[in-house]
Every structure is written in C-alpha cells, then in structure tokens.
Amino acid sequence: MRTNLSLPNGASLYGTYISPTGGNVFYVAASGGSNGNDGLSPLRAFSTLAQGITAATANNGDVIVMLPGAHSYAASVAASKAGITITGFPGNFMRPRASVVTTADDEVINVTAADVEIAWLRVIPVTTKAGIDYTTAADRLHVHDCSFDLVTAAVSTSTKGVATTGATQAPSHILISHNYFESDGAQGSGVEVGDAINFVVEHNVFVVRAGGTWNHAATMTGVLGLGEFRD
C-alpha cells in the first residue's frame, strides 16, 4: 500500500521505512528540514546528512533515510559512526529518488568507520574526486543499489565512483554490489579497490554514453587475500 505524506515544503514522500535492524530511523530532507528537529519523522526531518550521522548511535543498527530530492552540501560528509546505514527509498537503482552532491572540492561521502552500509542513492562526484571513498577503518563497507553519475563532472581520470583513499593499512571485506556507474569521457575508475584485505565487486553495471570511453571501469591494487570481480 502506498502512503502519501505531505511535507512542510510542499514535497511528497511515498512509502515508509522501518529499520530492519531494530535501531532508530532518522530522516534527512532535501529541503525544508531543520537540524533543530529530532529527525525521527519525515515531518521532523534534519536538513543535512551530517546531522543524521551525529544523531545516530554507533553499532546500534541506526538507519539514516535520505528523503527524495536533491541533497547538496558545502562540505564532504564523514560517515564516522560504525554500524550505520545511509539509504534512500528502494526503487530504480539506475535512478534513485534521492541524490547527493557536494560543492566542495572533495569526495561526497568519506567512510571512516566499520560496518557502514550505503544504498539507494544517486551520488554525483565533483571533478577529480570520488563519489564515495573509504579509509583503512572502513572494514566491511557495503555499497549497493546506488547510481554514480560521473557525467556531470568534467572529464578526468581522477573522477571516480567508489574508491580507496590510498591508505597503506588495508580495510577488510569490502563489498560493492548492484550499482550503476555512468561515464561519458575518460572518467574512472568506477570502482577502485586498493590496499584491501578480501573484497568482492559483483553485479555492477558500467555504462558509457555514445562517443565516450572509460579510463577503467574497475581497478584493484595491493589486495591481500581474496579479491574478486564478478559479473
């Protein structure tokens, strides 16, 4: 059954979200929210993802739901709480309902904690930066059902979808699955796994617009243990 909730800014939200892990659910609005809210309802949504992460408790199964619309931030967001999930509403993984971008010369989301899950978002990197990057602390990072729009950025081989920060001490058990990566020039890699201990990159779609090319769709360097790319 579809539920239509009217938001204060005149936008609409279709559906509801229940945490599958029993944690708190915090909502972030693309517009019309306030970081003075408690974030516990779409009608009391935060205005930034960073505030959602601040409100979350590490390793509590907390979920941060990005409400439909275009989320734009002046700085990179650090996913710094272990065990959190950042998600849009499930739908078409090629065109998720919520998009996120930064106006800073930086990655959109920087994962600096273990057991972080990111799903159902359209991530738009800026030129020469990654959409999502991760540090040595990001053990068991899972990125799935996201769309990465590398087309919006100017052509650069340093513009990437999901990428390592190049830390010399490796995170472990990285899983990048069921994502959609789109390029129209020599952008890429779509996925870059470096200095990782065991990882799987599987069931992703890499698309090039007419006349374009990928620098590399996916690359790996310095992998210890099992490293596997799957169709």
Side-chain angles (χ1 to χ4, degrees):
M1 178 177 180
R2 187 174 74 175
T3 302
N4 186 1
L5 300 179
S6 295
L7 301 183
N9 62 358
S12 295
L13 166 66
Y14 293 96
T16 57
Y17 195 97
I18 299 173
S19 170
T21 56
N24 296 309
V25 178
F26 298 100
Y27 294 87
V28 179
S31 62
S34 170
N35 285 344
N37 292 336
D38 62 13
L40 293 172
S41 160
L43 300 178
R44 305 192 305 274
F46 294 131
S47 60
T48 66
L49 173 57
Q51 184 62 28
I53 294 170
T54 296
T57 300
N59 297 314
N60 187 54
D62 287 0
V63 176
I64 302 164
V65 177
M66 307 292 283
L67 296 176
H71 299 252
S72 180
Y73 302 125
S76 173
V77 179
S80 56
K81 295 279 183 73
I84 63 172
T85 296
I86 301 169
T87 183
F89 276 85
N92 183 347
F93 84 110
M94 292 188 294
R95 199 72 171 183
R97 296 184 178 101
S99 65
V100 61
V101 66
T102 181
T103 57
D105 184 24
D106 211 342
E107 67 277 348
V108 181
I109 299 174
N110 175 225
V111 182
T112 62
D115 299 302
V116 171
E117 178 183 3
I118 301 174
W120 299 109
L121 295 177
R122 181 171 180 244
V123 183
I124 308 171
V126 299
T127 303
T128 76
K129 303 298 179 181
I132 297 172
D133 69 11
Y134 57 90
T135 70
T136 182
D139 293 335
R140 297 172 298 280
L141 170 65
H142 185 193
V143 180
H144 64 93
D145 295 291
C146 290
S147 171
F148 291 85
D149 171 11
L150 280 67
V151 173
T152 297
V155 174
S156 170
T157 57
S158 297
T159 304
K160 299 170 183 176
V162 181
T164 176
T165 59
T168 56
Q169 185 178 359
S172 67
H173 298 89
I174 305 298
L175 175 59
I176 313 297
S177 64
H178 298 88
N179 299 288
Y180 179 86
F181 299 88
E182 186 172 3
S183 167
D184 70 347
Q187 295 104 332
S189 304
V191 178
E192 178 186 80
V193 182
D195 297 314
I197 302 173
N198 303 325
F199 77 89
V200 173
V201 177
E202 66 176 0
H203 306 310
N204 297 287
V205 177
F206 299 89
V207 173
V208 180
R209 290 192 178 181
T213 182
W214 278 99
N215 174 47
H216 293 96
T219 58
M220 65 177 180
T221 59
V223 175
L224 305 174
L226 171 67
E228 187 170 358
F229 289 94
R230 301 175 182 168
D231 293 335

